[in-house]
Amino acid sequence: MPFACYAKQIAIVIDDIGNHQRDLAFLSLPGNLTYAVLPHTPFSQHFAYHAAKQNKEIILHIPMQAQNDKALGPGGLTLDMPKWQLQRTLGHALASLPHVKGVNNHMGSALTQYDEPMKWTMEVLKKRSLYFLDSRTTPYSQAQKVANLYGVDNIARHVFLDNELSIDNLQSQLQELKTIAQTQGYAIGIAHPYPETQQFLLQALQDLTAEGFELVPLSTLVENKHIQLIALQSAKSEKQ
């Protein structure tokens, strides 16, 4: 299939959903956003219910141990967990959000660096036919390597949109996301449920469509990833 058929697709994931009722406002943003919902939080199930009613894609935002040992919140996976405990904890989190199509890591700069906990994680995802988004909180993540080993569909984040909340930074990060999408055909951005982010995206998402970008659920990019890579390689070969 020609490369152009997949060109300029963008998926934007809103992380950290579930702690605040105001998170529900993000469901009113235009386009096919994906929402990463924290397990066992005050509004996680309420949000998931309304997202499912609107045919919005949701994934489990599973807390994983960070290098700074920051508090994980409920459902967190840690390096001191044996296999049975990690898999049971992950299973309970998934059972609380039955509509999810995939999983991504909340924090995880420590846990994702180790093969064993990633193997145990991918065993669970493989059995449930769920994909994994590596949030790439560390350049040393082993998550995608292990996911490939276990045959779990996977993909990685390109840009954090709102690591700083100034308009200049939001615009700069969005531009980087668009440049990646133009260069390789698709791009994945992660944002968070800040009021400033909501206000920015309200107009920015409409502008993306007007500029010829296609905003798609994350699962669309996961499913197309291998076709995308082949198409990109073919396009590069033709230019040489």
Side-chain angles (χ1 to χ4, degrees):
M1 192 168 290
F3 174 69
C5 291
Y6 291 98
K8 297 174 67 171
Q9 288 186 324
I10 288 177
I12 294 178
V13 180
I14 309 298
D15 269 1
D16 296 351
I17 293 290
N19 279 315
H20 305 285
Q21 187 169 10
R22 66 173 182 263
D23 296 350
L24 287 163
F26 276 74
L27 287 172
S28 64
L29 287 173
N32 290 309
L33 298 179
T34 300
Y35 302 89
V37 182
L38 289 160
H40 316 304
T41 46
F43 295 95
S44 57
Q45 291 184 317
H46 187 59
F47 186 97
Y49 169 77
H50 285 281
K53 283 184 67 176
Q54 296 181 37
N55 294 316
K56 301 287 189 178
E57 182 161 318
I58 63 171
I59 61 178
L60 172 67
H61 194 39
I62 191 71
M64 294 183 179
Q65 185 173 333
Q67 288 178 313
N68 60 9
D69 289 327
K70 188 175 179 181
L72 295 179
L77 309 181
T78 60
L79 285 167
D80 61 357
M81 285 182 170
K83 178 178 180 178
W84 69 266
Q85 186 179 11
L86 184 146
Q87 291 190 332
R88 186 175 71 175
T89 302
L90 178 55
H92 284 169
L94 288 167
S96 73
L97 296 166
H99 300 293
V100 300
K101 290 192 173 183
V103 172
N104 77 325
N105 54 297
H106 173 56
M107 297 190 284
S109 56
L111 197 83
T112 59
Q113 292 191 41
Y114 290 88
D115 282 2
E116 282 298 297
M118 288 298 96
K119 288 177 181 178
W120 303 339
T121 298
M122 297 310 162
E123 282 183 6
V124 174
L125 302 193
K126 180 64 175 177
K127 288 178 182 177
R128 297 171 183 251
S129 299
L130 298 172
Y131 65 76
F132 186 79
L133 165 66
D134 190 348
S135 301
R136 297 292 294 172
T137 55
T138 170
Y140 307 110
S141 174
Q142 303 301 305
Q144 285 193 281
K145 180 194 78 174
V146 177
N148 290 333
L149 185 66
Y150 279 79
V152 173
D153 290 337
N154 64 89
I155 205 160
R157 182 269 313 167
H158 295 109
V159 176
F160 282 118
L161 291 173
D162 53 2
N163 50 350
E164 294 179 18
L165 289 171
S166 69
I167 289 294
D168 285 348
N169 182 75
L170 288 165
Q171 291 175 337
S172 174
Q173 295 298 95
L174 183 63
Q175 183 56 53
E176 182 179 352
L177 191 70
K178 292 192 290 187
T179 299
I180 293 170
Q182 289 170 321
T183 302
Q184 69 176 43
Y186 73 102
I188 297 167
I190 288 180
H192 301 84
Y194 305 130
E196 296 91 338
T197 301
Q198 182 193 1
Q199 283 299 112
F200 175 75
L201 289 178
L202 192 59
Q203 183 60 50
L205 296 179
Q206 298 177 63
D207 292 343
L208 282 177
T209 302
E211 293 167 14
F213 293 92
E214 182 184 6
L215 193 63
V216 297
L218 185 57
S219 59
T220 298
L221 298 187
V222 174
E223 292 161 5
N224 290 344
K225 188 180 85 166
H226 297 296
I227 301 174
Q228 288 268 22
L229 291 173
I230 292 170
L232 182 61
Q233 288 169 355
S234 299
K236 286 182 177 179
S237 296
E238 291 174 3
K239 291 180 179 178
Q240 291 174 350

